[in-house]
Amino acid sequence: MAGEGAEWWSEETVAVVTGANRGIGLEVCRQLADKGLTVIMTARKPQEQLSNAAQQFLQEAAETGRKNVIFHTLDITQQQSVLDFVDWLKLTVGFADILVNNAAIDNSVIDWDFKKRNNVDQSTILALLTSANGVSNKYELARSCLETNFHGTGRLTKALLPLLRPSSHKPRIVNVSSRYGLLSLLRDEELRKQLCDTANLTEEKIDEVLDMFLEDVKSEKGMDRWPIEFPTYSISKLSLNAYTRLLALQLHDKACVNSVHPGYVRTDMNLGNGDLSPAEGAANLVRIALLPPGGPSGHNFLEGEDVEF
Ligand SMILES: NC(=O)c1ccc[n+]([C@@H]2O[C@H](COP(=O)([O-])OP(=O)(O)OC[C@H]3O[C@@H](n4cnc5c(N)ncnc54)[C@H](OP(=O)(O)O)[C@@H]3O)[C@@H](O)[C@H]2O)c1
């Protein structure tokens, strides 16, 4: 289990969290704020349209006179939104020490119409996976999932890199991944080898793999190369993990970049199913974000355990 050490952070430590309107992201904000860091809570909706839970969190922070929670709108799929956010951060705060890339969608798999029409629950949907009935790999859903989970995360990360503040404890990037992102789930050995080979990996190579996947989704052929369960979501996290390793290598000793699976958490993404509460899932991310200085980079954590990609 990755350890916790002496507190190296303070209110001067600035953490940016994406997708904090609900679920795990909101809890990450709460926990980082409780630990005394300054939290830049972001969500794709404007403040007045946030969930009740997010509004309440912000209201409580305001009522208790807390100045360490600041909200800003950020949609990671929109280039202009990312640029506006980074400009705002540069002007108001000037830097960031931690980036938690939490925002994601999973609309690539479950056919929500089928689910609604047949009034089926999540476990039934999972059972239906084997028959591919009620499960959708439709191109547009797949494309938008990759656009958010991989390209959107990369877009924000790249835009924010110049604002990551050098320090003795190093800036940290936590890419919120999934156990569905494990390389072993990729059924094509050659593709697995290519993504595994971090030294020769490039962003273009990852893009090529994603393009191949989308072509297969479109043609409805060749899907036997890709993960069986939740193929699009799985590929989105698998490519995010490849990006984690690539970025860790590129940033070398300038920042720690790690992938983290929060656990199976009861959020909207899982239709409320899961083993952990959102707070427990968030704690698994916060632990890695706040690892003592000198911690790992380019690693993959599954609920706190340092594991193979
Ligand atoms: N729950 C689990 O068991 C589990 C397991 C493994 C990994 N994860 C990962 O944990 C992270 C959080 O998931 P969750 O379970 O908390 O899911 P969730 O409840 O569905 O929350 C996802 C959040 O991401 C936001 N989001 C989606 N697209 C966005 C965009 N383009 N820009 C900004 N924000 C965007 C959503 O915004 P709106 O509220 O506006 O829709 C929502 O607030 C995700 O990366 C997920 O893949 C979850």
Side-chain angles (χ1 to χ4, degrees), residues 19-25 44-45 74-77 102-105 148 176-178 233 237 261-265 267-270:
N21 182 38
R22 56 196 163 98
I24 298 169
R44 58 181 159 176
K45 290 178 179 142
L74 169 61
D75 184 333
I76 61 167
T77 61
N102 167 79
I105 57 172
T148 305
V176 183
S177 189
S178 166
Y233 181 74
K237 296 298 189 179
H261 167 63
Y264 182 34
V265 184
T267 63
D268 294 343
M269 191 172 275
N270 290 329

Side-chain angles (χ1 to χ4, degrees), residues 205-279:
K205 180 74 234 168
I206 303 174
D207 282 343
E208 264 174 43
V209 173
L210 294 179
D211 287 347
M212 278 168 64
F213 174 74
L214 285 176
E215 276 309 308
D216 285 352
V217 169
K218 196 184 251 172
S219 65
E220 295 184 4
K221 289 182 188 138
M223 289 306 290
D224 54 352
R225 321 192 244 185
W226 310 104
I228 298 178
E229 282 194 330
F230 306 111
T232 305
Y233 181 74
S234 192
I235 287 298
S236 77
K237 296 298 189 179
L238 221 138
S239 51
L240 180 63
N241 283 352
Y243 184 58
T244 293
R245 286 184 276 115
L246 183 61
L247 195 61
L249 201 66
Q250 287 169 350
L251 295 178
H252 186 45
D253 55 0
K254 293 196 184 72
C256 290
V257 190
N258 292 298
S259 282
V260 189
H261 167 63
Y264 182 34
V265 184
R266 293 184 290 276
T267 63
D268 294 343
M269 191 172 275
N270 290 329
L271 309 174
N273 295 289
D275 300 326
L276 305 180
S277 68

